[in-house]
Amino acid sequence: MQEPRKLIDDVSQVMGSSLEILAGIKHDTERMVKHQFQSLLSQQGLVTREEFEVVREMAAKAREENERLLTRIYMLEEKIREGKGE
């Protein structure tokens, strides 16, 4: 029979190795799930947060420009009416 200390050391080594293997499996599984999730999202035509923010900023600038141009049109129309004596 092995000494108790040797048995404990052997069991500890086996458990340590098992934990390393499980950690590797966990890492590989997370990587595969992340890849599959990204693949699914790209197939759905969804955009990233960064892309969304860029488009949102562009839309805000376009709205501001549109409001500025509408104000200018109203002012020019008013000048035209005043010139015609309406």
Side-chain angles (χ1 to χ4, degrees):
M1 184 174 216
Q2 292 183 340
E3 328 179 349
R5 183 71 180 155
K6 173 75 170 136
L7 181 60
I8 292 172
D9 289 344
D10 290 346
V11 170
S12 294
Q13 286 179 349
V14 169
M15 290 181 72
S17 297
S18 298
L19 290 176
E20 288 176 16
I21 291 170
L22 289 174
I25 291 171
K26 178 183 178 266
H27 174 73
D28 289 345
T29 302
E30 287 174 345
R31 189 172 42 83
M32 286 189 298
V33 168
K34 182 178 178 182
H35 176 74
Q36 288 297 326
F37 188 67
Q38 288 174 339
S39 176
L40 177 65
L41 289 178
S42 68
Q43 290 173 1
Q44 297 299 316
L46 301 175
V47 297
T48 65
R49 183 69 169 167
E50 293 80 21
E51 292 169 324
F52 174 80
E53 292 298 332
V54 167
V55 172
R56 186 169 74 159
E57 186 177 322
M58 289 171 54
K61 286 180 181 178
R63 270 193 303 275
E64 291 171 5
E65 180 68 8
N66 187 41
E67 290 173 11
R68 187 183 69 75
L69 291 172
L70 282 174
T71 301
R72 186 171 176 200
I73 288 171
Y74 293 141
M75 290 172 61
L76 291 171
E77 287 175 342
E78 185 63 31
K79 283 184 179 182
I80 290 171
R81 271 193 254 71
E82 289 173 359
K84 290 183 178 180
E86 294 179 9

